[in-house]
Amino acid sequence: MDEPALIQDALEGDLNAFNTLVLHYQDIAYNVAYRIMGEPGAADDAAQESFISAYQKLHQYRGGSFKAWLLRIVTNNCYDELRRRQRQPVLPLKPDLPDGEILEDPYWLEDEDATPEEHSEQAELHAAIQKCINELEIKFRTVLVLVDVEGLDYQTAAEAAGAPIGTVKSRLARARERVQDCLQGFWELLPENFRHRDEKMI
Amino acid sequence: MNHQHHTNCQDTIQQLNAYLDDELDPQLCAQLEAHLESCTDCHIVYNTLKKTIQLCQSDGEEVALPADVRQRLLASLGLGEVDDTE
Protein backbone atom coordinates (compact mmCIF):
# COMPACT_ATOMS: atom_id res chain seq x y z
CA MET A 1 0.00 0.00 0.00
CA ASP A 2 1.44 3.35 -1.08
CA GLU A 3 0.17 5.28 1.94
CA PRO A 4 1.48 8.78 1.06
CA ALA A 5 -0.04 8.50 -2.45
CA LEU A 6 -3.37 7.33 -1.03
CA ILE A 7 -3.42 10.22 1.44
CA GLN A 8 -2.64 12.68 -1.35
CA ASP A 9 -5.39 11.19 -3.53
CA ALA A 10 -7.82 11.33 -0.61
CA LEU A 11 -6.92 14.98 -0.04
CA GLU A 12 -7.81 15.65 -3.65
CA GLY A 13 -11.25 14.17 -3.02
CA ASP A 14 -10.70 10.56 -4.04
CA LEU A 15 -12.99 8.69 -1.65
CA ASN A 16 -11.86 5.31 -2.90
CA ALA A 17 -8.32 6.17 -1.83
CA PHE A 18 -9.60 7.05 1.62
CA ASN A 19 -11.60 3.84 1.66
CA THR A 20 -8.40 1.86 1.09
CA LEU A 21 -6.92 3.60 4.14
CA VAL A 22 -10.07 2.79 6.12
CA LEU A 23 -9.86 -0.87 5.16
CA HIS A 24 -6.21 -0.97 6.18
CA TYR A 25 -6.68 0.61 9.60
CA GLN A 26 -10.27 -0.29 10.47
CA ASP A 27 -9.43 -3.20 12.73
CA ILE A 28 -6.73 -1.54 14.84
CA ALA A 29 -8.93 1.57 15.18
CA TYR A 30 -11.85 -0.58 16.26
CA ASN A 31 -9.73 -2.62 18.67
CA VAL A 32 -8.30 0.46 20.35
CA ALA A 33 -11.81 1.90 20.72
CA TYR A 34 -13.11 -1.46 21.99
CA ARG A 35 -10.40 -1.76 24.67
CA ILE A 36 -10.67 1.85 25.80
CA MET A 37 -14.47 1.96 25.87
CA GLY A 38 -14.75 -1.55 27.31
CA GLU A 39 -17.80 -2.55 25.33
CA PRO A 40 -18.61 -3.16 21.67
CA GLY A 41 -21.57 -0.83 21.14
CA ALA A 42 -19.62 2.25 22.17
CA ALA A 43 -16.63 1.04 20.14
CA ASP A 44 -18.81 0.81 17.01
CA ASP A 45 -19.79 4.46 17.35
CA ALA A 46 -16.28 5.63 18.26
CA ALA A 47 -14.69 3.83 15.30
CA GLN A 48 -17.27 5.13 12.84
CA GLU A 49 -17.05 8.70 14.13
CA SER A 50 -13.27 8.54 14.06
CA PHE A 51 -13.04 7.65 10.38
CA ILE A 52 -15.58 10.29 9.41
CA SER A 53 -13.68 12.79 11.52
CA ALA A 54 -10.39 11.67 9.94
CA TYR A 55 -11.81 12.28 6.47
CA GLN A 56 -13.03 15.73 7.47
CA LYS A 57 -9.69 16.60 9.11
CA LEU A 58 -7.41 15.01 6.56
CA HIS A 59 -6.15 18.41 5.43
CA GLN A 60 -4.77 18.86 8.98
CA TYR A 61 -2.53 15.79 8.67
CA ARG A 62 1.07 17.02 8.55
CA GLY A 63 2.98 13.86 7.66
CA GLY A 64 4.53 11.36 10.04
CA SER A 65 2.79 8.20 11.13
CA PHE A 66 -0.72 8.13 9.69
CA LYS A 67 -1.57 5.29 12.08
CA ALA A 68 -0.60 7.43 15.08
CA TRP A 69 -2.55 10.40 13.68
CA LEU A 70 -5.64 8.25 13.17
CA LEU A 71 -5.38 6.60 16.59
CA ARG A 72 -5.10 10.04 18.16
CA ILE A 73 -8.51 10.81 16.69
CA VAL A 74 -9.83 7.49 18.00
CA THR A 75 -8.53 8.08 21.54
CA ASN A 76 -9.89 11.65 21.52
CA ASN A 77 -13.30 10.39 20.45
CA CYS A 78 -13.23 7.80 23.22
CA TYR A 79 -12.20 10.44 25.78
CA ASP A 80 -15.04 12.71 24.67
CA GLU A 81 -17.59 9.92 24.88
CA LEU A 82 -16.37 8.76 28.30
CA ARG A 83 -16.49 12.34 29.62
CA ARG A 84 -20.01 12.69 28.24
CA ARG A 85 -21.01 9.47 30.00
CA GLN A 86 -19.52 10.67 33.27
CA ARG A 87 -21.64 13.79 33.09
CA GLN A 88 -24.71 11.85 31.97
CA PRO A 89 -24.33 8.18 32.95
CA VAL A 90 -26.01 5.73 30.64
CA LEU A 91 -27.11 2.26 31.70
CA PRO A 92 -26.38 -0.37 29.08
CA LEU A 93 -29.45 -2.25 27.92
CA LYS A 94 -29.20 -6.00 27.71
CA PRO A 95 -30.16 -7.51 24.35
CA ASP A 96 -33.81 -8.48 24.05
CA LEU A 97 -33.61 -12.22 23.51
CA PRO A 98 -36.33 -14.87 23.45
CA ASP A 99 -36.72 -16.86 26.68
CA GLY A 100 -33.94 -19.32 27.25
CA GLU A 101 -31.70 -18.01 24.48
CA ILE A 102 -28.15 -17.25 25.47
CA LEU A 103 -26.06 -14.62 23.73
CA GLU A 104 -22.51 -15.89 23.50
CA ASP A 105 -20.88 -12.56 24.15
CA PRO A 106 -18.60 -12.38 27.20
CA TYR A 107 -19.49 -8.75 27.78
CA TRP A 108 -23.06 -9.67 28.66
CA LEU A 109 -22.12 -12.88 30.40
CA GLU A 110 -19.66 -11.38 32.83
CA ASP A 111 -20.89 -12.10 36.29
CA GLU A 112 -18.86 -11.04 39.28
CA ASP A 113 -20.53 -13.73 41.39
CA ALA A 114 -19.72 -16.54 38.99
CA THR A 115 -17.84 -19.40 40.55
CA PRO A 116 -14.73 -20.85 38.92
CA GLU A 117 -16.72 -23.92 38.03
CA GLU A 118 -19.02 -21.89 35.83
CA HIS A 119 -16.43 -20.95 33.27
CA SER A 120 -13.26 -22.49 32.00
CA GLU A 121 -10.13 -21.19 33.72
CA GLN A 122 -8.91 -19.63 30.50
CA ALA A 123 -12.11 -17.69 30.00
CA GLU A 124 -12.01 -16.56 33.61
CA LEU A 125 -8.43 -15.39 33.32
CA HIS A 126 -9.33 -13.48 30.15
CA ALA A 127 -12.25 -11.83 31.91
CA ALA A 128 -10.04 -10.99 34.90
CA ILE A 129 -7.44 -9.31 32.71
CA GLN A 130 -10.12 -7.34 30.88
CA LYS A 131 -11.69 -6.32 34.19
CA CYS A 132 -8.35 -5.14 35.55
CA ILE A 133 -7.68 -3.13 32.38
CA ASN A 134 -11.18 -1.65 32.46
CA GLU A 135 -10.66 -0.53 36.05
CA LEU A 136 -7.69 1.64 35.09
CA GLU A 137 -8.21 5.36 34.76
CA ILE A 138 -8.63 6.30 31.12
CA LYS A 139 -5.17 7.87 30.70
CA PHE A 140 -3.47 4.76 32.09
CA ARG A 141 -5.76 2.38 30.21
CA THR A 142 -5.05 4.14 26.92
CA VAL A 143 -1.27 3.72 27.03
CA LEU A 144 -1.55 0.12 28.22
CA VAL A 145 -3.94 -0.68 25.36
CA LEU A 146 -1.71 1.07 22.81
CA VAL A 147 1.57 -0.51 23.93
CA ASP A 148 0.68 -3.89 25.41
CA VAL A 149 -2.51 -4.86 23.65
CA GLU A 150 -1.87 -3.27 20.25
CA GLY A 151 1.92 -3.52 20.29
CA LEU A 152 2.77 0.11 19.44
CA ASP A 153 6.26 1.41 20.21
CA TYR A 154 6.62 4.28 22.71
CA GLN A 155 6.95 6.98 20.03
CA THR A 156 3.83 5.93 18.11
CA ALA A 157 1.91 5.43 21.35
CA ALA A 158 2.92 8.93 22.48
CA GLU A 159 1.64 10.45 19.25
CA ALA A 160 -1.57 8.41 19.44
CA ALA A 161 -2.15 9.37 23.07
CA GLY A 162 -1.23 13.01 22.50
CA ALA A 163 1.26 12.92 25.36
CA PRO A 164 5.05 13.31 25.67
CA ILE A 165 7.00 10.08 25.51
CA GLY A 166 8.14 10.47 29.14
CA THR A 167 4.52 10.71 30.22
CA VAL A 168 3.68 7.57 28.25
CA LYS A 169 6.52 5.70 29.97
CA SER A 170 5.42 6.71 33.45
CA ARG A 171 1.73 6.02 32.74
CA LEU A 172 2.61 2.63 31.29
CA ALA A 173 4.68 1.69 34.34
CA ARG A 174 1.85 2.78 36.64
CA ALA A 175 -0.78 0.97 34.56
CA ARG A 176 1.15 -2.29 34.61
CA GLU A 177 1.71 -1.99 38.34
CA ARG A 178 -2.03 -1.52 38.91
CA VAL A 179 -2.97 -4.41 36.62
CA GLN A 180 -0.43 -6.57 38.42
CA ASP A 181 -1.93 -5.67 41.81
CA CYS A 182 -5.46 -6.17 40.48
CA LEU A 183 -4.61 -9.59 39.06
CA GLN A 184 -3.41 -10.76 42.47
CA GLY A 185 -7.10 -10.66 43.40
CA PHE A 186 -7.59 -13.51 40.94
CA TRP A 187 -4.87 -15.59 42.56
CA GLU A 188 -6.31 -19.00 41.70
CA LEU A 189 -6.47 -18.16 37.97
CA LEU A 190 -2.90 -17.01 37.57
CA PRO A 191 -0.09 -19.08 36.10
CA GLU A 192 2.09 -20.45 38.89
CA ASN A 193 5.16 -18.39 37.98
CA PHE A 194 3.12 -15.20 38.37
CA ARG A 195 2.35 -15.78 42.04
CA HIS A 196 5.13 -13.85 43.66
CA ARG A 197 3.30 -11.47 45.92
CA ASP A 198 4.71 -12.88 49.15
CA GLU A 199 8.22 -12.93 47.74
CA LYS A 200 8.23 -9.30 46.55
CA MET A 201 10.52 -7.76 49.12
CA ILE A 202 11.51 -4.45 47.54
CA MET B 1 22.11 -4.80 51.13
CA ASN B 2 24.72 -2.05 50.81
CA HIS B 3 24.04 1.42 49.40
CA GLN B 4 25.44 0.64 45.96
CA HIS B 5 23.29 -2.46 45.69
CA HIS B 6 20.21 -0.48 46.77
CA THR B 7 20.87 2.18 44.11
CA ASN B 8 21.25 -0.47 41.45
CA CYS B 9 17.95 -2.01 42.49
CA GLN B 10 16.18 1.34 42.18
CA ASP B 11 17.71 1.98 38.76
CA THR B 12 16.83 -1.50 37.65
CA ILE B 13 13.21 -1.25 38.70
CA GLN B 14 12.88 2.12 36.95
CA GLN B 15 14.32 0.70 33.74
CA LEU B 16 12.53 -2.65 33.68
CA ASN B 17 9.55 -1.50 31.61
CA ALA B 18 11.71 0.03 28.89
CA TYR B 19 13.95 -3.06 28.96
CA LEU B 20 11.03 -5.44 28.50
CA ASP B 21 9.68 -3.24 25.68
CA ASP B 22 13.04 -3.23 23.83
CA GLU B 23 13.21 0.53 24.31
CA LEU B 24 16.30 0.66 26.55
CA ASP B 25 19.73 1.80 25.39
CA PRO B 26 21.92 -1.28 24.66
CA GLN B 27 24.60 -0.22 27.15
CA LEU B 28 22.02 0.12 29.90
CA CYS B 29 20.59 -3.26 28.88
CA ALA B 30 23.93 -4.92 29.58
CA GLN B 31 24.19 -3.25 33.00
CA LEU B 32 20.64 -4.19 33.86
CA GLU B 33 21.10 -7.81 32.78
CA ALA B 34 24.26 -8.06 34.89
CA HIS B 35 22.34 -6.76 37.89
CA LEU B 36 19.42 -9.13 37.32
CA GLU B 37 21.78 -12.08 37.32
CA SER B 38 23.10 -11.19 40.75
CA CYS B 39 19.96 -9.87 42.46
CA THR B 40 17.23 -12.32 43.38
CA ASP B 41 14.77 -9.62 44.45
CA CYS B 42 15.02 -7.73 41.17
CA HIS B 43 14.78 -10.95 39.23
CA ILE B 44 11.48 -11.73 40.94
CA VAL B 45 10.15 -8.26 40.10
CA TYR B 46 11.38 -8.74 36.53
CA ASN B 47 9.59 -12.09 36.17
CA THR B 48 6.37 -10.75 37.63
CA LEU B 49 6.36 -7.68 35.40
CA LYS B 50 7.18 -9.78 32.36
CA LYS B 51 4.27 -12.08 33.14
CA THR B 52 1.93 -9.12 33.64
CA ILE B 53 2.86 -7.79 30.20
CA GLN B 54 2.38 -11.22 28.64
CA LEU B 55 -1.06 -11.49 30.23
CA CYS B 56 -2.05 -8.06 28.89
CA GLN B 57 -0.71 -8.99 25.46
CA SER B 58 -2.73 -12.21 25.54
CA ASP B 59 -5.82 -10.06 25.96
CA GLY B 60 -5.18 -8.49 22.57
CA GLU B 61 -6.96 -10.93 20.31
CA GLU B 62 -7.97 -8.88 17.29
CA VAL B 63 -11.63 -8.07 16.99
CA ALA B 64 -12.71 -7.22 13.46
CA LEU B 65 -14.78 -4.12 12.78
CA PRO B 66 -18.32 -5.51 12.51
CA ALA B 67 -19.54 -5.70 8.92
CA ASP B 68 -22.65 -3.62 9.61
CA VAL B 69 -20.54 -0.85 11.18
CA ARG B 70 -18.27 -0.80 8.16
CA GLN B 71 -21.23 -0.62 5.79
CA ARG B 72 -22.71 2.26 7.80
CA LEU B 73 -19.36 4.01 7.73
CA LEU B 74 -18.96 3.59 3.99
CA ALA B 75 -22.51 4.78 3.46
CA SER B 76 -21.73 7.87 5.58
CA LEU B 77 -18.75 8.57 3.36
CA GLY B 78 -20.87 8.13 0.25
CA LEU B 79 -19.11 4.99 -0.82
CA GLY B 80 -21.92 2.46 -0.47
CA GLU B 81 -21.14 -1.15 -1.20
CA VAL B 82 -17.51 -1.79 -2.03
CA ASP B 83 -15.41 -4.82 -2.67
CA ASP B 84 -13.07 -5.13 0.32
CA THR B 85 -11.65 -8.50 -0.56
CA GLU B 86 -8.38 -7.09 -1.88
Side-chain angles (χ1 to χ4, degrees), chain A residues 50-88:
Chain A
S50 297
F51 279 113
I52 292 170
S53 181
Y55 185 69
Q56 291 166 343
K57 293 177 178 174
L58 199 55
H59 62 281
Q60 295 175 12
Y61 170 68
R62 294 285 179 264
S65 166
F66 183 77
K67 179 162 82 172
W69 182 79
L70 178 64
L71 292 180
R72 176 83 187 274
I73 293 173
V74 174
T75 57
N76 280 342
N77 267 327
C78 291
Y79 286 3
D80 289 345
E81 177 60 17
L82 288 170
R83 279 193 210 104
R84 192 183 69 76
R85 288 175 177 214
Q86 274 182 341
R87 288 196 301 268
Q88 192 178 7

Short mmCIF file of all heavy atoms in Angstrom, two decimals, chain A residues 50-88:
data_model
loop_
_atom_site.label_atom_id
_atom_site.label_comp_id
_atom_site.label_asym_id
_atom_site.label_seq_id
_atom_site.Cartn_x
_atom_site.Cartn_y
_atom_site.Cartn_z
N SER A 50 -14.69 8.23 14.24
CA SER A 50 -13.27 8.54 14.06
C SER A 50 -12.90 8.59 12.58
O SER A 50 -12.15 9.48 12.15
CB SER A 50 -12.39 7.51 14.77
OG SER A 50 -12.63 7.56 16.15
N PHE A 51 -13.38 7.64 11.81
CA PHE A 51 -13.04 7.65 10.38
C PHE A 51 -13.70 8.82 9.66
O PHE A 51 -13.09 9.44 8.78
CB PHE A 51 -13.44 6.33 9.73
CG PHE A 51 -12.43 5.24 9.97
CD1 PHE A 51 -12.75 4.14 10.75
CD2 PHE A 51 -11.15 5.33 9.45
CE1 PHE A 51 -11.81 3.14 10.98
CE2 PHE A 51 -10.20 4.33 9.68
CZ PHE A 51 -10.53 3.25 10.45
N ILE A 52 -14.92 9.13 10.03
CA ILE A 52 -15.58 10.29 9.41
C ILE A 52 -14.82 11.57 9.77
O ILE A 52 -14.53 12.41 8.92
CB ILE A 52 -17.05 10.37 9.86
CG1 ILE A 52 -17.83 9.18 9.28
CG2 ILE A 52 -17.69 11.69 9.43
CD1 ILE A 52 -19.22 9.00 9.82
N SER A 53 -14.45 11.65 11.06
CA SER A 53 -13.68 12.79 11.52
C SER A 53 -12.32 12.87 10.82
O SER A 53 -11.86 13.94 10.43
CB SER A 53 -13.51 12.67 13.04
OG SER A 53 -12.81 13.74 13.55
N ALA A 54 -11.69 11.71 10.62
CA ALA A 54 -10.39 11.67 9.94
C ALA A 54 -10.53 12.20 8.52
O ALA A 54 -9.66 12.93 8.03
CB ALA A 54 -9.83 10.25 9.95
N TYR A 55 -11.60 11.81 7.85
CA TYR A 55 -11.81 12.28 6.47
C TYR A 55 -11.99 13.80 6.45
O TYR A 55 -11.43 14.49 5.59
CB TYR A 55 -13.02 11.58 5.85
CG TYR A 55 -13.19 11.94 4.39
CD1 TYR A 55 -12.27 11.50 3.45
CD2 TYR A 55 -14.24 12.75 3.97
CE1 TYR A 55 -12.40 11.85 2.11
CE2 TYR A 55 -14.37 13.10 2.64
CZ TYR A 55 -13.45 12.64 1.71
OH TYR A 55 -13.57 13.00 0.39
N GLN A 56 -12.77 14.28 7.42
CA GLN A 56 -13.03 15.73 7.47
C GLN A 56 -11.77 16.53 7.83
O GLN A 56 -11.61 17.68 7.43
CB GLN A 56 -14.14 16.03 8.47
CG GLN A 56 -15.50 15.51 8.00
CD GLN A 56 -16.54 15.50 9.11
OE1 GLN A 56 -16.21 15.57 10.30
NE2 GLN A 56 -17.80 15.41 8.72
N LYS A 57 -10.88 15.89 8.63
CA LYS A 57 -9.69 16.60 9.11
C LYS A 57 -8.42 16.24 8.34
O LYS A 57 -7.31 16.58 8.77
CB LYS A 57 -9.46 16.27 10.59
CG LYS A 57 -10.51 16.79 11.52
CD LYS A 57 -10.20 16.34 12.94
CE LYS A 57 -11.22 16.87 13.93
NZ LYS A 57 -11.01 16.33 15.28
N LEU A 58 -8.59 15.51 7.27
CA LEU A 58 -7.41 15.01 6.56
C LEU A 58 -6.45 16.13 6.15
O LEU A 58 -5.23 15.94 6.14
CB LEU A 58 -7.86 14.21 5.33
CG LEU A 58 -6.84 13.25 4.72
CD1 LEU A 58 -6.31 12.25 5.74
CD2 LEU A 58 -7.46 12.50 3.54
N HIS A 59 -7.00 17.29 5.84
CA HIS A 59 -6.15 18.41 5.43
C HIS A 59 -5.26 18.89 6.59
O HIS A 59 -4.29 19.61 6.37
CB HIS A 59 -7.01 19.57 4.92
CG HIS A 59 -7.92 20.13 5.96
ND1 HIS A 59 -9.12 19.51 6.32
CD2 HIS A 59 -7.82 21.22 6.75
CE1 HIS A 59 -9.70 20.23 7.27
NE2 HIS A 59 -8.93 21.28 7.55
N GLN A 60 -5.59 18.46 7.83
CA GLN A 60 -4.77 18.86 8.98
C GLN A 60 -3.60 17.89 9.22
O GLN A 60 -2.74 18.14 10.06
CB GLN A 60 -5.62 18.90 10.26
CG GLN A 60 -6.69 19.98 10.23
CD GLN A 60 -7.60 19.92 11.45
OE1 GLN A 60 -7.31 19.23 12.43
NE2 GLN A 60 -8.71 20.62 11.39
N TYR A 61 -3.61 16.77 8.50
CA TYR A 61 -2.53 15.79 8.67
C TYR A 61 -1.23 16.40 8.11
O TYR A 61 -1.19 16.89 7.00
CB TYR A 61 -2.90 14.51 7.92
CG TYR A 61 -1.80 13.50 7.80
CD1 TYR A 61 -1.31 12.82 8.92
CD2 TYR A 61 -1.24 13.20 6.56
CE1 TYR A 61 -0.29 11.89 8.79
CE2 TYR A 61 -0.23 12.27 6.43
CZ TYR A 61 0.24 11.62 7.55
OH TYR A 61 1.26 10.71 7.43
N ARG A 62 -0.18 16.35 8.93
CA ARG A 62 1.07 17.02 8.55
C ARG A 62 2.21 16.03 8.36
O ARG A 62 3.35 16.30 8.71
CB ARG A 62 1.47 18.02 9.65
CG ARG A 62 0.51 19.19 9.79
CD ARG A 62 0.68 20.20 8.65
NE ARG A 62 -0.26 21.29 8.77
CZ ARG A 62 -1.43 21.35 8.14
NH1 ARG A 62 -1.82 20.36 7.36
NH2 ARG A 62 -2.25 22.37 8.30
N GLY A 63 1.93 14.85 7.86
CA GLY A 63 2.98 13.86 7.66
C GLY A 63 3.24 13.06 8.93
O GLY A 63 2.52 13.21 9.91
N GLY A 64 4.26 12.24 8.90
CA GLY A 64 4.53 11.36 10.04
C GLY A 64 3.66 10.13 9.97
O GLY A 64 3.11 9.79 8.92
N SER A 65 3.54 9.46 11.11
CA SER A 65 2.79 8.20 11.13
C SER A 65 1.29 8.46 10.99
O SER A 65 0.67 9.07 11.86
CB SER A 65 3.07 7.47 12.46
OG SER A 65 2.13 6.44 12.65
N PHE A 66 0.72 7.98 9.89
CA PHE A 66 -0.72 8.13 9.69
C PHE A 66 -1.48 7.31 10.73
O PHE A 66 -2.53 7.72 11.23
CB PHE A 66 -1.11 7.70 8.27
CG PHE A 66 -2.57 7.90 7.98
CD1 PHE A 66 -3.06 9.16 7.68
CD2 PHE A 66 -3.46 6.83 7.99
CE1 PHE A 66 -4.42 9.37 7.41
CE2 PHE A 66 -4.81 7.03 7.73
CZ PHE A 66 -5.28 8.29 7.43
N LYS A 67 -0.93 6.15 11.06
CA LYS A 67 -1.57 5.29 12.08
C LYS A 67 -1.68 6.04 13.40
O LYS A 67 -2.74 6.04 14.03
CB LYS A 67 -0.76 4.00 12.25
CG LYS A 67 -1.35 3.06 13.30
CD LYS A 67 -0.83 1.65 13.16
CE LYS A 67 0.51 1.46 13.81
NZ LYS A 67 0.93 0.04 13.84
N ALA A 68 -0.57 6.69 13.81
CA ALA A 68 -0.60 7.43 15.08
C ALA A 68 -1.60 8.58 15.01
O ALA A 68 -2.34 8.84 15.97
CB ALA A 68 0.80 7.96 15.41
N TRP A 69 -1.62 9.27 13.85
CA TRP A 69 -2.55 10.40 13.68
C TRP A 69 -4.00 9.91 13.79
O TRP A 69 -4.82 10.52 14.48
CB TRP A 69 -2.30 11.05 12.31
CG TRP A 69 -3.15 12.25 12.01
CD1 TRP A 69 -2.98 13.52 12.47
CD2 TRP A 69 -4.32 12.28 11.18
NE1 TRP A 69 -3.96 14.34 11.97
CE2 TRP A 69 -4.81 13.61 11.18
CE3 TRP A 69 -5.01 11.32 10.43
CZ2 TRP A 69 -5.94 13.99 10.46
CZ3 TRP A 69 -6.14 11.71 9.72
CH2 TRP A 69 -6.59 13.03 9.74
N LEU A 70 -4.28 8.80 13.13
CA LEU A 70 -5.64 8.25 13.17
C LEU A 70 -6.02 7.78 14.58
O LEU A 70 -7.13 8.05 15.07
CB LEU A 70 -5.74 7.07 12.18
CG LEU A 70 -7.08 6.35 12.12
CD1 LEU A 70 -8.18 7.29 11.63
CD2 LEU A 70 -7.00 5.13 11.20
N LEU A 71 -5.08 7.10 15.24
CA LEU A 71 -5.38 6.60 16.59
C LEU A 71 -5.54 7.74 17.59
O LEU A 71 -6.23 7.61 18.59
CB LEU A 71 -4.29 5.62 17.05
CG LEU A 71 -4.26 4.29 16.27
CD1 LEU A 71 -3.15 3.38 16.80
CD2 LEU A 71 -5.60 3.57 16.35
N ARG A 72 -4.89 8.87 17.31
CA ARG A 72 -5.10 10.04 18.16
C ARG A 72 -6.57 10.48 18.08
O ARG A 72 -7.18 10.83 19.08
CB ARG A 72 -4.16 11.16 17.69
CG ARG A 72 -4.34 12.48 18.43
CD ARG A 72 -3.58 12.47 19.74
NE ARG A 72 -3.86 13.63 20.53
CZ ARG A 72 -3.22 14.81 20.41
NH1 ARG A 72 -2.25 14.94 19.53
NH2 ARG A 72 -3.54 15.81 21.18
N ILE A 73 -7.10 10.46 16.87
CA ILE A 73 -8.51 10.81 16.69
C ILE A 73 -9.40 9.80 17.42
O ILE A 73 -10.37 10.17 18.09
CB ILE A 73 -8.87 10.88 15.18
CG1 ILE A 73 -8.13 12.05 14.52
CG2 ILE A 73 -10.37 11.01 14.97
CD1 ILE A 73 -8.26 12.11 13.02
N VAL A 74 -9.05 8.53 17.33
CA VAL A 74 -9.83 7.49 18.00
C VAL A 74 -9.80 7.70 19.52
O VAL A 74 -10.86 7.69 20.18
CB VAL A 74 -9.28 6.07 17.67
CG1 VAL A 74 -10.00 5.01 18.49
CG2 VAL A 74 -9.43 5.78 16.18
N THR A 75 -8.61 7.91 20.08
CA THR A 75 -8.53 8.08 21.54
C THR A 75 -9.26 9.35 21.97
O THR A 75 -9.95 9.34 22.99
CB THR A 75 -7.07 8.11 22.04
OG1 THR A 75 -6.36 9.15 21.37
CG2 THR A 75 -6.37 6.80 21.78
N ASN A 76 -9.17 10.42 21.17
CA ASN A 76 -9.89 11.65 21.52
C ASN A 76 -11.40 11.43 21.51
O ASN A 76 -12.11 11.92 22.38
CB ASN A 76 -9.52 12.78 20.55
CG ASN A 76 -8.19 13.42 20.90
OD1 ASN A 76 -7.70 13.27 22.02
ND2 ASN A 76 -7.59 14.11 19.95
N ASN A 77 -11.87 10.69 20.51
CA ASN A 77 -13.30 10.39 20.45
C ASN A 77 -13.74 9.58 21.67
O ASN A 77 -14.81 9.81 22.23
CB ASN A 77 -13.63 9.60 19.18
CG ASN A 77 -14.04 10.51 18.05
OD1 ASN A 77 -14.64 11.56 18.26
ND2 ASN A 77 -13.69 10.14 16.83
N CYS A 78 -12.91 8.63 22.05
CA CYS A 78 -13.23 7.80 23.22
C CYS A 78 -13.25 8.67 24.49
O CYS A 78 -14.14 8.53 25.33
CB CYS A 78 -12.21 6.67 23.38
SG CYS A 78 -12.32 5.42 22.09
N TYR A 79 -12.25 9.55 24.62
CA TYR A 79 -12.20 10.44 25.78
C TYR A 79 -13.48 11.28 25.86
O TYR A 79 -14.09 11.42 26.92
CB TYR A 79 -11.00 11.38 25.71
CG TYR A 79 -9.65 10.75 25.99
CD1 TYR A 79 -9.52 9.40 26.23
CD2 TYR A 79 -8.50 11.52 26.00
CE1 TYR A 79 -8.29 8.83 26.46
CE2 TYR A 79 -7.25 10.96 26.24
CZ TYR A 79 -7.15 9.62 26.47
OH TYR A 79 -5.93 9.06 26.70
N ASP A 80 -13.85 11.85 24.70
CA ASP A 80 -15.04 12.71 24.67
C ASP A 80 -16.28 11.94 25.10
O ASP A 80 -17.10 12.42 25.88
CB ASP A 80 -15.25 13.28 23.26
CG ASP A 80 -14.20 14.32 22.89
OD1 ASP A 80 -13.50 14.79 23.82
OD2 ASP A 80 -14.07 14.66 21.71
N GLU A 81 -16.40 10.71 24.57
CA GLU A 81 -17.59 9.92 24.88
C GLU A 81 -17.60 9.51 26.36
O GLU A 81 -18.64 9.55 27.02
CB GLU A 81 -17.63 8.67 23.98
CG GLU A 81 -18.78 7.72 24.26
CD GLU A 81 -20.16 8.36 24.09
OE1 GLU A 81 -20.25 9.42 23.45
OE2 GLU A 81 -21.14 7.80 24.63
N LEU A 82 -16.43 9.15 26.89
CA LEU A 82 -16.37 8.76 28.30
C LEU A 82 -16.67 9.95 29.22
O LEU A 82 -17.33 9.80 30.25
CB LEU A 82 -15.01 8.14 28.63
CG LEU A 82 -14.80 6.75 28.04
CD1 LEU A 82 -13.35 6.30 28.18
CD2 LEU A 82 -15.70 5.71 28.70
N ARG A 83 -16.18 11.13 28.83
CA ARG A 83 -16.49 12.34 29.62
C ARG A 83 -18.00 12.61 29.58
O ARG A 83 -18.61 12.94 30.58
CB ARG A 83 -15.74 13.55 29.05
CG ARG A 83 -14.31 13.62 29.52
CD ARG A 83 -13.71 14.99 29.20
NE ARG A 83 -12.28 14.85 28.98
CZ ARG A 83 -11.69 14.88 27.80
NH1 ARG A 83 -12.40 15.07 26.70
NH2 ARG A 83 -10.40 14.74 27.70
N ARG A 84 -18.57 12.45 28.38
CA ARG A 84 -20.01 12.69 28.24
C ARG A 84 -20.79 11.71 29.14
O ARG A 84 -21.75 12.07 29.80
CB ARG A 84 -20.43 12.49 26.78
CG ARG A 84 -21.82 12.98 26.47
CD ARG A 84 -22.19 12.69 25.02
NE ARG A 84 -22.37 11.26 24.77
CZ ARG A 84 -23.44 10.57 25.14
NH1 ARG A 84 -24.43 11.17 25.76
NH2 ARG A 84 -23.53 9.29 24.89
N ARG A 85 -20.33 10.48 29.19
CA ARG A 85 -21.01 9.47 30.00
C ARG A 85 -20.86 9.75 31.49
O ARG A 85 -21.75 9.43 32.27
CB ARG A 85 -20.46 8.08 29.70
CG ARG A 85 -20.90 7.57 28.36
CD ARG A 85 -20.26 6.25 28.03
NE ARG A 85 -20.79 5.78 26.75
CZ ARG A 85 -21.00 4.51 26.46
NH1 ARG A 85 -20.70 3.58 27.33
NH2 ARG A 85 -21.48 4.16 25.29
N GLN A 86 -19.71 10.33 31.86
CA GLN A 86 -19.52 10.67 33.27
C GLN A 86 -20.49 11.75 33.70
O GLN A 86 -21.03 11.74 34.79
CB GLN A 86 -18.09 11.15 33.51
CG GLN A 86 -17.13 10.00 33.77
CD GLN A 86 -15.72 10.48 34.05
OE1 GLN A 86 -15.36 11.61 33.74
NE2 GLN A 86 -14.91 9.62 34.65
N ARG A 87 -20.70 12.71 32.78
CA ARG A 87 -21.64 13.79 33.09
C ARG A 87 -23.07 13.28 33.08
O ARG A 87 -23.90 13.69 33.84
CB ARG A 87 -21.51 14.92 32.05
CG ARG A 87 -20.25 15.73 32.17
CD ARG A 87 -20.38 17.02 31.39
NE ARG A 87 -20.63 16.79 29.98
CZ ARG A 87 -19.69 16.68 29.06
NH1 ARG A 87 -18.43 16.78 29.39
NH2 ARG A 87 -19.98 16.49 27.79
N GLN A 88 -23.35 12.34 32.16
CA GLN A 88 -24.71 11.85 31.97
C GLN A 88 -24.64 10.32 31.86
O GLN A 88 -24.67 9.77 30.76
CB GLN A 88 -25.28 12.44 30.68
CG GLN A 88 -26.74 12.25 30.51
CD GLN A 88 -27.20 12.93 29.24
OE1 GLN A 88 -26.43 13.43 28.44
NE2 GLN A 88 -28.51 12.97 29.04
#
